[in-house]
Amino acid sequence: MFKIGEIAKQAGVTTRTLRYYEQLGLFVPSNVNTNGYRYYNDDTLVVINRIRDLQRVGLSLEEIKDVIGLYFHQKKKVEAKEKTLNYLQVHLNDIDSKITLLNNVKKELKEQIQSTQSRLVQLKEKGRKNGGSKN
Amino acid sequence: MFKIGEIAKQAGVTTRTLRYYEQLGLFVPSNVNTNGYRYYNDDTLVVINRIRDLQRVGLSLEEIKDVIGLYFHQKKKVEAKEKTLNYLQVHLNDIDSKITLLNNVKKELKEQIQSTQSRLVQLKEKGRKNGGSKN
DNA sequence: ATTAACCTTATCGTTAAGGTGAAAGTAGGA
DNA sequence: TCCTACTTTCACCTTAACGATAAGGTTAAT
């Protein structure tokens, strides 16, 4: 059991951020002392990291709130399960389209790098032939 | 040549958004009339779409500003070229790590879907055998 | 028992990415 | 010419995701 400052440090976030996440309903402390101190275990660390990952790839905390539970507890009733299933599918599609997007960007970047590199080589060769000055 | 409202419509954004992008230095109108009216051509449409794509995958407009030019004009001096090259590489690495992240999420989602689905089937079979009630 | 280093809630501030509306100038079709 | 539907700048408003600071309680080692 870690106090808030400790997991904050381990997770590389501030305590403010953790309390904010809690306020949004992203998770709750593993337990709360009578004096109000929050205590967490390693599980929370995993959750925090997942949240950060999802943020990095463009999800808002609200969106994350909607999906974060899907990863971390699956004891549900039948109706809930079918709803969850739908949600997972939609989320999966969204992710797939993002991957596609990123791959496109990646491809163009690679082409740019190629062409930039070869133009650089050309320029340098030209520079070696004549005394080299302009450009 | 389109007026601002027209490409806005074509791009699926508001005119405010376009002026805001311009203000941030993401692009300039293809030309500006003496009365202040902005006019754009199809090239701008491509740029806008690229910006939106990059936003979708988690880049801020400031970050986008830094890279957007790399796609759309490559007449530069040698020093500039080498700097650009570095930037492209860094950007590429970032994108690669995002793709990796998304693929991880995707994998876990698929597993979740699998297990959720099979548990659903189990529950339904159970429901068929006995009169079915709880869960 | 004191003290440094934690923790609590509460509130105000900040940045990004626009939305919204005012007041005024234009375009172009009837 | 006139009217409607644009367009301009300016300024204030909003939401998300925290940062910063205040004012006070707690812990644990000395």
Side-chain angles (χ1 to χ4, degrees):
Chain A
M1 284 302 198
F2 313 99
K3 285 192 282 186
I4 194 167
E6 309 179 59
I7 36 149
K9 195 164 195 176
Q10 287 186 58
V13 300
T14 69
T15 61
R16 172 64 163 104
T17 297
L18 294 183
R19 294 198 195 94
Y20 182 60
Y21 288 176
E22 179 182 345
Q23 182 186 325
L24 291 188
L26 292 182
F27 54 72
V28 291
S30 310
N31 86 0
V32 178
N33 202 332
T34 44
N35 55 33
Y37 275 39
R38 294 163 173 85
Y39 290 89
Y40 306 85
N41 55 35
D42 305 314
D43 294 4
T44 312
L45 201 55
V46 178
V47 175
I48 297 168
N49 287 328
R50 169 52 46 88
I51 291 172
R52 289 269 133 181
D53 285 353
L54 293 176
Q55 262 189 313
R56 275 206 67 223
V57 297
L59 294 219
S60 74
L61 291 179
E62 272 306 312
E63 293 172 309
I64 293 172
K65 179 184 171 183
D66 285 342
V67 301
I68 195 68
L70 308 182
Y71 299 108
F72 298 111
H73 52 67
Q74 56 244 63
K75 322 123 195 309
K76 299 206 189 80
K77 303 238 180 82
V78 182
E79 331 86 66
K81 263 190 192 308
E82 289 196 303
K83 219 181 145 203
T84 300
L85 207 55
N86 269 322
Y87 214 111
L88 288 169
Q89 286 287 5
V90 171
H91 188 197
L92 186 58
N93 288 341
D94 190 48
I95 284 176
D96 263 335
S97 87
K98 284 193 179 178
I99 291 177
T100 301
L101 262 175
L102 282 171
N103 275 322
N104 287 345
V105 171
K106 178 177 174 176
K107 190 182 152 209
E108 292 185 36
L109 274 177
K110 280 194 160 177
E111 287 169 8
Q112 279 280 339
I113 289 176
Q114 281 298 324
S115 103
T116 302
Q117 242 160 6
S118 68
R119 297 209 52 185
L120 248 180
V121 171
Q122 280 178 27
L123 285 170
K124 288 192 174 171
E125 274 174 3
K126 213 172 100 189
R128 230 172 291 139
K129 280 191 184 171
N130 51 49
S133 57
K134 80 170 158 214
N135 227 358
Chain B
M1 285 304 199
F2 313 99
K3 285 192 281 185
I4 195 167
E6 308 179 59
I7 36 149
K9 195 164 193 174
Q10 288 187 58
V13 300
T14 69
T15 61
R16 172 61 162 110
T17 297
L18 294 183
R19 295 197 194 94
Y20 181 60
Y21 287 175
E22 179 183 346
Q23 181 185 326
L24 291 187
L26 291 182
F27 55 73
V28 291
S30 310
N31 87 359
V32 178
N33 204 332
T34 45
N35 55 31
Y37 274 41
R38 295 163 174 84
Y39 291 88
Y40 306 85
N41 55 34
D42 305 314
D43 294 5
T44 311
L45 202 54
V46 178
V47 175
I48 297 168
N49 287 329
R50 170 52 47 88
I51 291 172
R52 290 269 133 181
D53 284 355
L54 292 176
Q55 263 189 311
R56 271 206 70 222
V57 296
L59 294 218
S60 73
L61 291 179
E62 272 305 312
E63 294 173 308
I64 293 172
K65 179 184 170 184
D66 285 341
V67 302
I68 195 70
L70 309 181
Y71 299 108
F72 300 110
H73 52 68
Q74 57 245 65
K75 323 122 195 307
K76 298 207 191 79
K77 303 240 180 83
V78 183
E79 332 85 68
K81 263 189 192 311
E82 289 194 304
K83 220 181 142 204
T84 300
L85 207 54
N86 269 321
Y87 214 112
L88 288 169
Q89 285 288 1
V90 170
H91 189 196
L92 186 58
N93 289 340
D94 190 49
I95 284 176
D96 263 334
S97 86
K98 283 191 180 177
I99 290 177
T100 301
L101 262 174
L102 283 172
N103 275 321
N104 287 345
V105 171
K106 178 177 174 177
K107 190 182 149 209
E108 293 186 35
L109 273 178
K110 279 194 161 176
E111 288 168 7
Q112 279 279 340
I113 289 175
Q114 280 299 323
S115 101
T116 301
Q117 240 159 6
S118 68
R119 295 208 54 185
L120 247 180
V121 170
Q122 279 177 26
L123 285 169
K124 288 192 173 169
E125 274 174 4
K126 215 172 97 188
R128 231 172 292 138
K129 279 190 185 172
N130 53 47
S133 58
K134 81 174 154 205
N135 229 355

